Amino acid sequence: RKYDFTCCDFQPAVIARNILLLTLLLDHHYNDSLWNLYYHVYVSFDDLQTLNDHARKLVSSATDPETWKQSSYGQKIHFCDSGTLDDVRDIWRSYAVLDISPTQRVEHSKCFKKSAFRANALRKDRMGEDSDLSMCRSADPVGSHAMEDAKNFSREYWKTGSVSSATNTNKCGNPTLASIATKNLTLHYGLSPLCGFHLASAYAPTCNGTKKALDLAKEEFRSWCSAYKHKAHNIVTRFFSGDALAFSHALQSVAGGKGATHHGLYRTRYSYKPLILDDGYASTNSAPSSFNVIDTSNVLDSVGALNLLIATEPLLRDSASSTLYTDTLVKSYGDLKLMATELLHGDLPTLSLLLGLFPLEYWTNSTSTPFVDEAARASIMNQGGQMPCRLLWKRSIRVSKIQFAADQLAELLFKTYLAIFSSEDLSTLLTVAFKADSHKVARSFFPKSHRPSFVGLIQCFQRHASSDWEKVIKMLLSKIVQDQTLSSGGHYIQELYLYLHLSGLFDADVLVNPTAHSHPMVHAKGFSRWESMPGAICVTIKVPRSDLRPLTQYLNNPTKIGTPCLIGGLESPSEPRERPWLNLFSAVSLCFGDVISSGDPASDGFDFQVAEDKEGWHGQSPLMLTFWAPSFILLQDFPKARASVRIQSTPHAVTLFFKDTNPTLTIYESNLGNTGNVFISKRPPELQDPPLICAGPNTSPPQAVIDGSRMTLSGFLDSGNSKLDCFTARLEMVEESAIALLQDKRNRVEKIQLNPLTLKLMIGAGTHAKIFQIELPLPVDNSKAKLRIARTSKYVDVVLPRAAAPFTDAFPNYLFPTLHRNTSPLVWNTTYRNLDQLSALDVNDKSKVAWLNTHMSLAWSEQERREREACMNRQASTSPRINFKESLFSILSHFIDLGGPGSAKSPGRASWFGLNCESNGGVHIIIYVSCIRLDNANHTIVMDGGVLPLAIDQVPKLQKHLAEIIDPQFSNVQVKVNEAELALWNVYLIQKASKLRSVTMISPVVARFEASVSSQREEKNAEDREKKERQGEDVKNTCSNALGGDNDNKDNYSNNNNDSGDSQGRYYGLDERQQQQHVRTTRPTQLDIALMTPPDSAPQSSRDDSFPSTSNGRHDSGENIRFPSEGEASTIIKGLEESLATKEQEVQELEAEVATQRAEIEELRGERRAENKRMIKALKNNDSRAAHELKRRCDELFDVIESQESYTQRLEEQLQEQRKQKLAANQELREVKTEYQEYVQREGHTSGNAGSTGGEGEVRTKRGGKARAPTSKTMDVAMWNELKRRYPKLWFCACARPGY
C-alpha cells in the first residue's frame, strides 16, 4: 500500500525540524544523535557537527523548487508551495551555527539561554514548580502511577536540557528548538519529550517485564525511525507552512476546478505573500486535494469548530470510511455534554447534517478511546484550563440534497448567526458574568468567527440543502437588519452584504452599481476618478510604529494578551452631523513592512507592494492592515471620511487596552484623503482576485432512479426552527412494474427498519413484491413513522421523526454501527488492532493491577451509572448496553481475581466463560481469555482469547475437545445474559474480530483458539481422555458442567429461533441475500459471520396422537407412561392464562390503532374539504392556475384517504380475528380448568395447588375436602387412552408442552 501524507503547520520551524529528521533517516541508519537533536535542549559538539553538515546538504538541495525535486529527497518529500520551501530553507541555514563567526555564535548562545530562562519562568507560572504532569496522559490507563516520574522528568529536563539519567555536560544550544533565523528565539513552556510516546508499559506489570519510561520512549522512537526507513519507498510526505484554513480553502478551490494559483488568499494572516500551490496541484494533478483521513490536532481551539468543519468537510473523499478527527485541549466548556450542545452554536445533529457530516460518537455514545477523568488530574496539575477530547466525524450517507422550506432555513440561519456573534451582545455577557460562567466569558475574549466565515457557512449549507436560496437570504438579511440583540451587529452589516456579493449568493444594488448611490460632487477627487468602479475595493491602512504601543508594551509577556483581534473601520467625518455612520470590517490581513507605490492613486492602474519585515512585532516597521470594503461607502464622504484600525471590543480587550486607547479601542485613524497612510486599490497587495471561500465541488449526488423509483428527501424543523424534527422521504414510482404494484389496491405497503439509518419499503407480498431501500443521513425513529400512499399520483411518502440520541432503545446494537458497501461490511467506530504487537499484562499480583477496577468503571456514562445503581436491587437492568458492560466487567474481574499472589492456577481464577441465556437454551458462546493486553494507542486494555459459538450440530464434534482443553483446576464461569444482550454480544464479537490485524482460523467456528489452548492440551494425557470418553456424558451436560452450569435436562444449545432473534440479531442490518453474500465474501482473517449464533436445529420428530413421546421424540414403553402431574397441570393453566392476557393486550392495541387511524382519516377529510372550498373560490376568481394546483392536491388527499381507509379496514379485520381468538382462548381456559377439576375429584385424594375453585390454589372435592392431582405414576396404555378420552383438552395441552 502507498501512503500520501499532507502536513500543515503555522510555524515553519516545526516543518523544518520534521523534514530534518526524515532526511537524516533517509541518509543514515538510526543512532543516538537523532534522539538528541530532536528532543534535547542542549546537545554535544558531535551532534552539532552532524546537524551542521546535514543542514548544508539540505540548503544546497533547496535552492529552488526544481532543484529540490531533482535531489535525492525530492521523490519522497514535497513542498506544497514555494513559500514553504523558502521559509524552511532559511531555517535550515540557521542550523549551521558552526559556519557563523565566533562572535555571532556567542551572541546566539546568550539569546538561547535567555529564551530558555523565559520559557522556564513561564512554565513555573503556568504549571508550578513541579506540577507538569502532562506526561501522565501518555501513560494512560495507568497515568496515576506516572505522577512522580513526570515531576522528576520535568524538573530534570528544564534543569539540564536532557532527560538522560547521566549528568548532562552538553553546553551547545539545540538550534532546531530555537532558530536564529529571527531575533525572537522562543522555547515553548510546555516542552516535554516523553509526552509523544506510549508509556503505559513502563508502569503496568507486563509478561515481558517492565522497562523504564525513558528506555521505552527511546525504543519506540527507534522503532518509528526504522519503520519509516523501511517503508520510505511507499511514502510521500507533503508540507505546507501557513494558515490551516487558508490552505484548506485553496485545496477546495483545486478540487472544485478553480485552479492552483488564483485563490485570493494569503499564506498567513501576518504576510502579504499569496498562496500559490505547486504545479502538482494544477498541471499534473499528482498532489491530492481530497483525503481518506484528516486529523486536525487541536486547531479547533484556535479557529473554532464551525470554521474548521467548513474548511475541511469538502476535502473528505466521498467514501463511507473517510474520517475527520478534531481534538480540543482548552477547556472552553464546563463539560462534554455542554460542549456537544454549544460546539456548533446550535443543535449538533441539525447543523452537522447541513455541513454534510455525521458525529458518530454523539449518536452511538461510545468511543474507542476512554475519557479519563481530567477534573481530578487538573486539580493536581493546577491546569484547570484543559479538557482533552477527540471527536470523530464521518461523511453523512450520500443522498440527494435535502429539501427545506425557505422560511425555516432562514430562521435557523438567523439563530445560528446570533449564537456565533453572541460576544457582541453586551447584555448576554453581563448575564453570563453574573452567573460566573467563566468558560463562556473566556470564549468571548477571542472571537473566532467573522461575517465572511458566516457566509462560508451559508455556502456549505447550500451544498447540502435544496431550497429557494434567494428567498432564504432575503429573509435572513431582513431579520439581521431588524435585529436589536447584537449591540454592534449593525456596524458589520455592510461587510456581510459585501461577502454575500463576492461569493455570488446575493447582489445588493449598491454593490452592482456603486456610483449611482454616491454624491455627484466627489467624482473629481481621488480614486473616484477611476474609469470603472467595482462594487468591492481594497483599503490598506499603514499604522506608524509609535501608534502600536498599546500592543507592543506586552511583547515580553505575550500570553497576557494572546493574539489581539484587530479590525478595520470606515466612519463618517469627524465634524458633527445629523446621521453619522460607522462600518467595521473584521476580515483583515496584516503585514509589517514599507510601502512601495507605483502609479497615480486616481488612476485605474494604481497598485502597490509591501516590502515585508520578517521581524514582525519585534521589528521597527509600521503595520499594514488590508480589508475589502464596498466602494459606495468610500464614495459617500470622500476624502473627509475616516479609516481606522481598532482592537475588536471584547470584555478582555476593554480591560487591557481601555486606558491606553479610547472607548472605541482605536489605535490609529486617518482621513481617506491621506494618500501616505491610506491606500485604496482595486485589489489587495500581491493578489489578483477576491478570496475564494468554500469553493469546493458539489459533493451531493444528483437525484437518480433506484429500483424503479426516484426518492426526494425533505427536512422539517421543529416549531422553534432550531433543530430538525423529521424527514419526509417521497418515493415516486417511475418504472411501469413499480407503478402497477402501487396502483393495485390489494397490495399492502409496509416499512421495515433495518438499522437507524436504513429502512425498507415493501409493496406487495411474496415473489412479486417490490422492495425499496431508503438510506438516511440521520437516525430516525420508525416506531413513530407514518405512511402516506398516493396510488393515483404514483408516490409514497414516509414521514420519519428524528431519533433521540443516543439511539439505543430500538437498536441497542448501534453501539457498533456497520455499513455495507460493495458487499463488505464497514465497522464505523472500531479501530484495527494487532494483538500480537500489544503487551500482555501480568495479572498474578492483584495489587499491581488494582487500577483495572477504576479503569473499567469509566466504561459507564454518568446516566448509565445512575441507572446501574438504581438496578442494584433488581436482577438486571433493562438496558442491553448496561448489561453488556456488566458482563465484560464480570469476565475481567473473574479473570484477574486469583486465589493468591503468584498462584498461576489458583481455584479463584477463571479463564473459561459461557454466555448463558437461560430463556433461550442455555450457553450459546464459550469465551476463553488468554490474557489482558495494553492498547496503548487508545489508552485502554483489551482481552485476548478465543471465541467458540455453539451450534447443535457441532457440539457432538466439539465434546471430546472441550473435555480436553477446559482445565478443571481453574474456575469456569457462566455469565447470565438475556436475549437482547446476547444479540449485542454476537454483533460485538463479529465486529471486533473483523478489526483484528491477525486472527488464527483453525476451523469454521473457532478464531484465535489454537494458540490459546495448545499449552493446556499438552498437559492432558491419554488416560484422562479415555476416562472422559468412557463416562458417556450427555453432550449438553458436558458443556454446561464444564462451564459451571446446571445438570438438568434443559436443552442448553437450542437454536436462537425466537421472535426477537431475527436476522438483525445475527447480522446487523443485513437481509437474507446480504447474509449469504457476506458469508461468501468474508476474508480469511475474520470470523465467519454465519456461525456466530446457533443455526436452526433439526425439526423434532412428530408425535403420535395415540401415544405419548419422550423429550427425545422416541416412543417409550408402557411403564413410563404418565399423565400431567400437579405442578405440570398448574403450569399448563398458568400458560393459558398468560396467553389469554396476551390476546387481550393485542386486542387493546389494535383497538387503539384503529381509533388513531380513524382520527387521522377524519383529519385528512377535513383538510380535503378545506382544499375543495379553496378550489371553488379560485374557480370563481378565474384563477385557473391555483384551481388546478388545488385540484391536484385534492386528488392526492383522496388517494391518501382511500389508502388509509383500506389500511384501516384491514386493521379492523385483524381486530375481529383477534377478538375471535381471544374468545376461543377464554373458552379453552375454562374447559381445561373444568376438566382438571373433574380429574382431581375423580383421581385425587389430597389438597393441591392447581386451583381454579374453592379458594386460591385449591380444588374442592364433592365432600368438601381438599384434593390434589395424582402423582405421575406408571400406567398401562388402556388407562392412558381412557384418561385421554375423558380429558381431551387437558391431554392436548400437556402434549403440546416442550419436553413432556
Side-chain angles (χ1 to χ4, degrees):
R1 176 182 294 183
K2 294 185 180 297
Y3 297 90
D4 198 314
F5 297 95
T6 301
C7 309
C8 173
D9 198 285
F10 182 77
Q11 293 287 348
V14 174
I15 291 177
R17 191 165 166 267
N18 290 336
I19 298 178
L20 172 76
L21 175 63
L22 297 182
T23 52
L24 280 169
L25 289 172
L26 293 174
D27 288 350
H28 310 283
H29 292 287
Y30 177 83
N31 57 68
D32 289 339
S33 289
L34 294 177
W35 171 273
N36 298 338
L37 289 172
Y38 204 70
Y39 289 111
H40 287 182
V41 178
Y42 292 98
V43 295
S44 67
F45 183 83
D46 291 340
D47 294 334
L48 201 62
Q49 184 66 57
T50 300
L51 174 64
N52 200 88
D53 295 342
H54 194 70
R56 288 178 187 168
K57 182 177 180 181
L58 289 175
V59 171
S60 63
S61 301
T63 306
D64 53 60
E66 202 57 41
T67 305
W68 177 263
K69 291 177 183 178
Q70 299 301 323
S71 70
S72 58
Y73 314 121
Q75 297 302 312
K76 300 177 180 64
I77 297 174
H78 297 243
F79 292 95
C80 296
D81 71 327
S82 59
T84 301
L85 178 64
D86 295 339
D87 292 342
V88 168
R89 183 181 61 245
D90 292 342
I91 293 172
W92 285 339
R93 189 176 287 114
S94 71
Y95 288 170
V97 292
L98 298 182
D99 293 344
I100 61 178
S101 66
T103 304
Q104 290 175 318
R105 203 179 307 162
V106 171
E107 184 65 25
H108 170 258
S109 179
K110 291 180 180 179
C111 293
F112 191 93
K113 291 179 179 178
K114 288 181 181 179
S115 176
F117 179 81
R118 288 196 304 268
N120 196 14
L122 184 59
R123 179 187 69 88
K124 293 179 181 178
D125 179 63
R126 288 293 185 90
M127 301 180 177
E129 180 67 34
D130 297 318
S131 298
D132 182 11
L133 303 181
S134 55
M135 191 185 87
C136 295
R137 293 194 188 107
S138 301
D140 282 335
V142 283
S144 58
H145 294 196
M147 287 186 178
E148 194 61 34
D149 275 357
K151 294 179 182 179
N152 294 334
F153 277 128
S154 177
R155 187 187 306 114
E156 181 72 18
Y157 184 71
W158 283 95
K159 180 180 179 181
T160 65
S162 168
V163 291
S164 176
S165 56
T167 303
N168 186 16
T169 58
N170 301 327
K171 296 300 180 181
C172 302
N174 188 348
T176 67
L177 293 178
S179 168
I180 60 172
T182 63
K183 295 181 180 178
N184 181 27
L185 296 176
T186 303
L187 284 175
H188 196 278
Y189 67 89
L191 279 179
S192 183
L194 301 189
C195 286
F197 298 95
H198 304 111
L199 305 179
S201 299
Y203 302 99
T206 62
C207 295
N208 296 328
T210 302
K211 297 181 180 179
K212 292 183 179 181
L214 178 59
D215 296 335
L216 198 65
K218 286 188 174 182
E219 181 180 321
E220 189 168 335
F221 182 72
R222 187 184 303 110
S223 299
W224 287 350
C225 293
S226 300
Y228 176 78
K229 186 173 182 65
H230 179 65
K231 293 290 186 180
H233 61 283
N234 285 333
I235 299 175
V236 174
T237 312
R238 307 173 193 275
F239 291 94
F240 174 79
S241 169
D243 183 76
L245 295 186
F247 183 52
S248 298
H249 286 296
L251 290 177
Q252 281 192 46
S253 178
V254 173
K258 307 294 193 303
T261 55
H262 302 296
H263 313 294
L265 299 169
Y266 290 120
R267 298 184 67 253
T268 68
R269 194 187 178 204
Y270 282 92
S271 172
Y272 282 167
K273 291 181 179 179
L275 201 168
I276 301 175
L277 295 177
D278 182 71
D279 290 343
Y281 291 94
S283 58
T284 62
N285 292 323
S286 60
S289 57
S290 61
F291 306 90
N292 299 100
V293 178
I294 300 176
D295 193 328
T296 64
S297 185
N298 67 323
V299 174
L300 185 148
D301 289 331
S302 303
V303 303
L306 271 180
N307 295 332
L308 183 62
L309 297 181
I310 290 169
T312 54
E313 180 273 331
L315 303 181
L316 280 176
R317 289 191 174 170
D318 192 8
S319 169
S321 61
S322 297
T323 306
L324 170 65
Y325 293 100
T326 60
D327 289 79
T328 61
L329 185 61
V330 178
K331 191 172 184 179
S332 301
Y333 306 89
D335 53 44
L336 292 177
K337 184 177 181 181
L338 183 63
M339 185 180 75
T341 58
E342 297 190 10
L343 184 68
L344 300 184
H345 304 284
D347 182 57
L348 180 63
T350 303
L351 294 180
S352 60
L353 168 71
L354 292 169
L355 289 170
L357 294 170
F358 188 85
L360 185 59
E361 292 158 337
Y362 172 85
W363 285 108
T364 62
N365 198 27
S366 63
T367 176
S368 297
T369 304
F371 173 69
V372 180
D373 188 1
E374 287 288 335
R377 183 175 292 167
S379 63
I380 299 173
M381 297 169 62
N382 192 26
Q383 292 178 3
Q386 290 190 352
M387 186 180 71
C389 179
R390 186 170 177 84
L391 299 178
L392 184 152
W393 308 78
K394 294 284 187 177
R395 266 205 179 282
S396 295
I397 300 296
R398 310 313 290 163
V399 298
S400 57
K401 286 187 177 182
I402 306 171
Q403 296 182 357
F404 285 93
D407 57 337
Q408 290 191 333
L409 266 184
E411 183 65 24
L412 175 66
L413 281 167
F414 177 63
K415 290 185 175 181
T416 307
Y417 173 87
L418 293 180
I420 291 174
F421 302 111
S422 60
S423 60
E424 298 172 15
D425 181 4
L426 296 181
S427 61
T428 301
L429 289 178
L430 292 175
T431 303
V432 170
F434 179 75
K435 293 181 179 179
D437 188 348
S438 59
H439 301 296
K440 196 161 188 175
V441 172
R443 292 200 300 274
S444 69
F445 284 177
F446 305 105
K448 299 179 177 65
S449 296
H450 44 51
R451 268 60 184 182
S453 63
F454 180 71
V455 172
L457 178 67
I458 298 175
Q459 289 179 282
C460 198
F461 281 13
Q462 194 178 34
R463 279 205 301 268
H464 301 287
S466 176
S467 186
D468 185 348
W469 277 100
E470 183 178 355
K471 184 178 179 181
V472 169
I473 294 175
K474 285 182 179 179
M475 296 175 70
L476 172 64
L477 290 174
S478 176
K479 293 175 182 293
I480 293 176
V481 170
Q482 297 174 18
D483 173 60
Q484 300 295 323
T485 305
L486 305 182
S487 56
S488 58
H491 298 316
Y492 294 97
I493 191 68
Q494 295 301 333
E495 185 180 34
L496 178 61
Y497 274 102
L498 173 68
Y499 278 89
L500 286 171
H501 168 72
L502 292 176
S503 63
L505 291 174
F506 181 78
D507 291 325
D509 291 340
V510 292
L511 294 171
V512 175
N513 189 8
T515 55
H517 299 269
S518 60
H519 196 282
M521 293 181 62
V522 304
H523 289 292
K525 302 177 182 178
F527 77 100
S528 61
R529 295 169 56 188
W530 291 351
E531 294 182 4
S532 62
M533 182 63 64
I537 57 179
C538 278
V539 179
T540 301
I541 306 172
K542 184 172 76 172
V543 184
R545 194 74 187 185
S546 58
D547 291 288
L548 295 176
R549 188 182 176 282
L551 300 174
T552 55
Q553 63 179 327
Y554 294 105
L555 285 179
N556 292 327
N557 189 12
T559 57
K560 184 174 181 178
I561 64 171
T563 303
C565 220
L566 298 180
I567 59 175
L570 296 174
E571 56 186 315
S572 56
S574 56
E575 62 265 15
R577 54 166 50 203
E578 182 179 352
R579 297 182 62 182
W581 51 269
L582 170 64
N583 292 291
L584 301 177
F585 302 87
S586 53
V588 301
S589 299
L590 306 171
C591 179
F592 288 92
D594 296 324
V595 176
I596 305 174
S597 298
S598 62
D600 182 5
S603 66
D604 283 65
F606 174 72
D607 195 7
F608 67 96
Q609 295 177 337
V610 176
E612 290 192 27
D613 182 0
K614 293 184 179 181
E615 299 299 326
W617 287 102
H618 296 271
Q620 299 299 320
S621 299
L623 172 68
M624 313 296 296
L625 182 143
T626 300
F627 59 91
W628 286 88
S631 56
F632 83 92
I633 292 179
L634 285 85
L635 291 169
Q636 286 185 44
D637 293 296
F638 184 83
K640 294 183 178 180
R642 292 172 292 166
S644 60
V645 175
R646 305 176 176 217
I647 302 171
Q648 189 165 8
S649 181
T650 65
H652 180 65
V654 171
T655 303
L656 281 178
F657 303 113
F658 178 78
K659 62 180 180 179
D660 297 316
T661 56
N662 52 44
T664 62
L665 302 185
T666 301
I667 60 175
Y668 177 78
E669 71 174 9
S670 176
N671 294 334
L672 293 178
N674 181 2
T675 56
N677 289 76
V678 179
F679 306 89
I680 302 174
S681 57
K682 289 185 176 181
R683 60 185 66 91
E686 306 293 341
L687 295 179
Q688 302 296 322
D689 303 291
L692 289 176
I693 305 297
C694 294
N698 185 358
T699 54
S700 296
Q703 195 178 43
V705 176
I706 302 175
D707 296 330
S709 70
R710 183 183 294 109
M711 190 186 83
T712 303
L713 191 64
S714 300
F716 297 90
L717 304 182
D718 63 352
S719 57
N721 292 325
S722 58
K723 62 180 180 180
L724 183 75
D725 182 59
C726 68
F727 292 109
T728 295
R730 170 167 292 189
L731 272 73
E732 181 183 357
M733 306 302 153
V734 294
E735 289 185 0
E736 293 299 327
S737 59
I739 294 173
L741 275 174
L742 180 63
Q743 292 184 338
D744 188 346
K745 297 181 180 180
R746 294 172 299 177
N747 291 329
R748 297 184 60 183
V749 180
E750 294 180 327
K751 52 182 173 53
I752 304 168
Q753 188 167 16
L754 299 180
N755 59 57
L757 296 174
T758 310
L759 278 88
K760 276 185 178 180
L761 191 73
M762 186 167 66
I763 303 177
T767 57
H768 299 292
K770 190 78 173 177
I771 298 176
F772 305 91
Q773 184 158 305
I774 303 174
E775 292 190 332
L776 300 156
L778 285 186
V780 295
D781 189 352
N782 186 47
S783 64
K784 300 177 182 178
K786 295 182 180 180
L787 281 176
R788 293 176 182 169
I789 307 167
R791 297 185 188 272
T792 304
S793 300
K794 299 176 289 189
Y795 70 82
V796 177
D797 280 350
V798 189
V799 181
L800 300 160
R802 189 188 88 178
F807 195 77
T808 56
D809 295 335
F811 286 91
N813 298 349
Y814 204 60
L815 182 67
F816 314 104
T818 305
L819 297 182
H820 306 282
R821 293 291 183 271
N822 300 324
T823 72
S824 179
L826 172 65
V827 185
W828 248 8
N829 65 339
T830 303
T831 58
Y832 280 102
R833 291 180 175 90
N834 190 341
L835 294 179
D836 295 329
Q837 299 297 320
L838 305 182
S839 300
L841 285 176
D842 182 359
V843 297
N844 286 322
D845 189 346
K846 289 191 293 183
S847 62
K848 293 183 178 180
V849 291
W851 53 269
L852 285 173
N853 188 40
T854 303
H855 179 70
M856 285 296 292
S857 67
L858 296 172
W860 285 274
S861 65
E862 185 178 345
Q863 180 180 349
E864 289 173 338
R865 194 176 292 113
R866 288 195 300 266
E867 183 176 346
R868 180 175 177 242
E869 292 171 355
C871 294
M872 286 299 183
N873 297 328
R874 301 201 299 264
Q875 185 176 3
S877 169
T878 57
S879 169
R881 182 179 292 217
I882 294 178
N883 292 334
F884 172 75
K885 293 180 180 181
E886 285 281 6
S887 298
L888 273 178
F889 185 76
S890 177
I891 292 173
L892 175 72
S893 300
H894 281 88
F895 179 74
I896 65 175
D897 190 18
L898 305 179
S903 178
K905 294 191 175 182
S906 168
R909 179 176 178 180
S911 296
W912 295 89
F913 301 87
L915 301 184
N916 183 11
C917 183
E918 295 179 347
S919 63
N920 191 21
V923 177
H924 282 248
I925 298 173
I926 295 176
I927 298 174
Y928 173 75
V929 180
S930 172
C931 62
I932 299 175
R933 298 181 182 273
L934 286 171
D935 184 3
N936 290 318
N938 294 303
H939 306 299
T940 185
I941 58 171
V942 293
M943 285 187 286
D944 186 2
V947 176
L948 180 62
L950 297 177
I952 291 177
D953 58 342
Q954 292 161 350
V955 169
K957 305 174 185 177
L958 298 173
Q959 176 184 356
K960 182 176 69 173
H961 301 294
L962 287 174
E964 294 175 5
I965 62 180
I966 297 181
D967 194 338
Q969 296 187 60
F970 285 89
S971 298
N972 303 302
V973 179
Q974 284 195 23
V975 181
K976 292 183 178 181
V977 299
N978 55 32
E979 294 178 13
E981 184 188 346
L982 182 62
L984 183 55
W985 269 101
N986 285 328
V987 175
Y988 173 79
L989 293 172
I990 292 169
Q991 296 179 347
K992 287 299 180 182
S994 69
K995 286 293 185 176
L996 297 180
R997 291 292 186 186
S998 60
V999 181
T1000 304
M1001 300 292 295
I1002 63 171
S1003 76
V1005 294
V1006 184
R1008 201 181 176 86
F1009 212 83
E1010 186 176 37
S1012 303
V1013 302
S1014 58
S1015 59
Q1016 294 191 27
R1017 186 175 294 167
E1018 293 171 359
E1019 297 174 2
K1020 303 295 181 180
N1021 53 46
E1023 183 179 350
D1024 292 337
R1025 291 196 297 269
E1026 292 174 4
K1027 182 179 179 180
K1028 285 194 175 291
E1029 290 174 4
R1030 288 195 301 269
Q1031 289 176 353
E1033 297 176 336
D1034 183 82
V1035 170
K1036 297 183 288 292
N1037 292 336
T1038 299
C1039 296
S1040 183
N1041 289 336
L1043 293 164
D1046 299 332
N1047 202 11
D1048 57 11
N1049 291 325
K1050 184 170 63 174
D1051 188 1
N1052 287 333
Y1053 303 101
S1054 64
N1055 63 310
N1056 191 17
N1057 189 16
N1058 54 76
D1059 293 340
S1060 62
D1062 56 9
S1063 63
Q1064 294 195 30
R1066 299 187 183 96
Y1067 312 91
Y1068 178 57
L1070 274 69
D1071 57 25
E1072 183 178 356
R1073 177 184 59 80
Q1074 289 173 320
Q1075 293 173 23
Q1076 297 172 355
Q1077 192 171 21
H1078 174 61
V1079 171
R1080 292 195 299 269
T1081 58
T1082 301
R1083 298 195 303 267
T1085 57
Q1086 293 181 332
L1087 281 174
D1088 192 340
I1089 259 185
L1091 298 171
M1092 288 306 295
T1093 54
D1096 294 339
S1097 60
Q1100 295 183 353
S1101 302
S1102 58
R1103 292 184 170 86
D1104 194 312
D1105 286 342
S1106 63
F1107 208 73
S1109 61
T1110 58
S1111 60
N1112 60 10
R1114 298 172 300 175
H1115 292 296
D1116 210 337
S1117 59
E1119 64 267 22
N1120 289 331
I1121 298 174
R1122 62 184 178 85
F1123 212 68
S1125 65
E1126 175 185 11
E1128 290 171 335
S1130 176
T1131 303
I1132 291 170
I1133 293 174
K1134 184 178 180 182
L1136 290 174
E1137 290 173 343
E1138 291 176 351
S1139 177
L1140 178 61
T1142 302
K1143 293 293 182 185
E1144 290 175 346
Q1145 183 179 359
E1146 290 175 353
V1147 168
Q1148 292 174 1
E1149 290 176 352
L1150 276 173
E1151 288 174 344
E1153 188 172 358
V1154 168
T1156 301
Q1157 292 295 327
R1158 285 296 177 193
E1160 289 184 359
I1161 289 172
E1162 287 303 317
E1163 183 180 346
L1164 289 169
R1165 284 174 175 168
E1167 186 179 351
R1168 185 170 182 269
R1169 285 193 294 269
E1171 295 289 341
N1172 197 39
K1173 289 180 181 179
R1174 285 196 286 271
M1175 181 184 69
I1176 295 172
K1177 185 177 180 180
L1179 288 172
K1180 290 180 179 179
N1181 295 333
N1182 295 322
D1183 190 350
S1184 58
R1185 183 175 180 180
H1188 179 75
E1189 180 65 25
L1190 290 168
K1191 183 179 183 303
R1192 186 189 63 80
R1193 175 62 178 158
C1194 287
D1195 292 341
E1196 289 181 358
L1197 288 172
F1198 178 80
D1199 289 339
V1200 174
I1201 292 170
E1202 189 179 38
S1203 174
Q1204 293 285 80
E1205 283 279 10
S1206 177
Y1207 176 65
T1208 306
Q1209 186 176 355
R1210 289 195 297 271
L1211 285 179
E1212 289 175 339
E1213 292 172 357
Q1214 293 178 19
L1215 178 60
Q1216 293 299 326
E1217 183 65 27
Q1218 290 289 350
R1219 285 171 175 168
K1220 290 179 182 179
Q1221 293 179 12
K1222 171 187 170 185
L1223 292 174
N1226 193 22
Q1227 178 66 23
E1228 183 182 29
L1229 177 61
R1230 286 199 301 268
E1231 291 176 356
V1232 170
K1233 285 184 176 180
T1234 301
E1235 284 188 2
Y1236 187 70
Q1237 181 180 2
E1238 183 181 351
Y1239 172 55
V1240 171
Q1241 290 173 345
R1242 278 177 176 269
E1243 313 296 337
H1245 55 276
T1246 57
S1247 62
N1249 60 355
S1252 61
T1253 61
E1256 183 179 357
E1258 296 181 357
V1259 175
R1260 297 286 179 177
T1261 64
K1262 292 180 180 179
R1263 297 180 181 181
K1266 297 178 181 178
R1268 68 164 187 165
T1271 58
S1272 298
K1273 300 178 180 179
T1274 59
M1275 59 184 73
D1276 55 21
V1277 176
M1279 182 183 295
W1280 169 265
N1281 287 330
E1282 177 63 20
L1283 290 175
K1284 171 192 169 186
R1285 183 187 62 78
R1286 288 181 184 177
Y1287 316 111
K1289 289 289 183 182
L1290 184 60
W1291 171 86
F1292 178 80
C1293 293
C1295 288
R1297 291 192 65 224
Y1300 177 69

